[in-house]
Amino acid sequence: MRENLAFVSIQNMALTGCAAPNEASTEKTKRHTWRKRIGFLLKTNTSKSLLHLKKRSYRPTADDVQQWAQSLDKLLCHKYGKTVFSIFLKSEFCEENIEFWTACEDFRNITSHKALASKADSIYEEFVRSEAPKEINLDFHTKNTIVRNLHEPTATIFLAAQSKVYSLMENDSYPRFIYSDLYKEMCASARGQAH
């Protein structure tokens, strides 16, 4: 039975664009890893000192964390929300999705044609080409369109691919994040700071 569950889990990851975890990674290891990475956001301090108030303003409020559950857009627009979601995706072995999405956001803001061409090649090499170090899950047509336009890239060369990756995150990773222990712990921590 357990072997069947592992097989189904690996199949589901293949369908969602996430890599299969190695045998040694467990739920406990995942929690420890993300707790370590976002420890500064989870720490609460009951002291009412001025120093504490200054530090607290750099952490998400309970309202911020609640807004993350409204939509993926709200989550990605918040500095810490995006960071926490990235850490969650890393624990799920599919951080390439948020990294690609972020690279595309940055890419669209480039104004120099030379810099645009250079960055387009870089994004293609890192995320799009077959066997890329952080290859994202794209269909042949979308990949082929990018390849055809690489010689003369525009700011919208990755738009279709970015949209597909966003949709994948929105429909798969984001709901899992909202129901994850990580998000629940962020909510509890933010509520604790409000007191």
Side-chain angles (χ1 to χ4, degrees), residues 41 58 68 74-85:
L41 292 175
Y58 292 103
W68 300 350
K74 290 201 183 219
L75 176 67
L76 294 178
C77 286
H78 192 278
K79 177 181 173 182
Y80 290 122
K82 186 175 166 187
T83 299
V84 172
F85 188 54

